[in-house]
């Protein structure tokens, strides 16, 4: 086999391996980038009061029946995870005994309220209930 052909095959193989080795699922944004609106967080606060506060407390501080959704323990548990993971967990597991009972927009608003309660800044665009988009947003302790 000629050297040029071997080199071409080797280059093609290496470039193919490089493409498959790249992880496109790495988040490209952060909760510090303003990924929800204040209005959306207010809607989420209303939904939270009606569907979540009984287990997690009105101030998101947690109860014996539900963990805190704000503060150091929450941030520690969700640090370096995507907003998609938080959204998926919330929308498929909550409220307890009635999982999936809210609209996708209501779940996104509740997540926006949780982010606001943890002092992540609001922005100009609503948090969309799209796990592909949300998987690009990283929850991190400091921006």
């Amino acid at each position: 086999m000629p050297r040029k052909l071997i080199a071409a095959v080797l280059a093609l193989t290496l470039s193919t391996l490089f493409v498959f080795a790249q992880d496109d699922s790495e988040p490209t944004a952060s909760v510090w980038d303003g990924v929800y609106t204040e209005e959306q967080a207010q809607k989420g606060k209303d939904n939270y009061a009606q569907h979540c506060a009984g287990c997690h407390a009105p101030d998101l501080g947690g109860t014996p029946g539900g963990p805190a959704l704000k503060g150091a323990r929450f941030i520690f548990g969700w640090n370096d995870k995507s907003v998609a993971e938080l959204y998926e967990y919330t929308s498929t597991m909550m409220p307890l005994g009635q999982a999936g009972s809210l609209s996708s927009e209501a779940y996104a608003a509740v997540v926006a309220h949780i982010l606001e309660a943890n002092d992540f800044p609001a922005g100009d665009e609503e948090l969309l209930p799209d796990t592909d988009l949300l998987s690009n947003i990283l929850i991190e302790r400091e921006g």
Side-chain angles (χ1 to χ4, degrees), residues 48 52-69 73 94 96:
Y48 177 89
C52 314
C55 291
H56 297 280
D59 68 352
L60 289 83
T63 69
L69 300 176
R73 291 189 92 169
M94 298 291 131
L96 193 60

Side-chain angles (χ1 to χ4, degrees), residues 43-63 65-69 90-91 93-96 98 101-102 106-107 109-111 113-114:
K43 289 178 196 171
K45 184 176 183 177
D46 296 341
N47 286 323
Y48 177 89
Q50 184 176 358
H51 301 285
C52 314
C55 291
H56 297 280
D59 68 352
L60 289 83
T63 69
L69 300 176
T90 304
S91 64
M93 302 298 287
M94 298 291 131
L96 193 60
Q98 298 175 337
S101 61
L102 306 178
Y107 281 112
V110 168
V111 169
H113 173 55
I114 293 169

Side-chain angles (χ1 to χ4, degrees), residues 40-89:
Q40 184 182 31
Q42 182 58 52
K43 289 178 196 171
K45 184 176 183 177
D46 296 341
N47 286 323
Y48 177 89
Q50 184 176 358
H51 301 285
C52 314
C55 291
H56 297 280
D59 68 352
L60 289 83
T63 69
L69 300 176
K70 72 172 187 177
R73 291 189 92 169
F74 174 80
I75 298 300
F76 180 79
W78 288 96
N79 188 53
D80 290 333
K81 294 186 171 133
S82 72
V83 173
E85 292 173 89
L86 177 59
Y87 172 82
E88 286 177 341
Y89 182 82

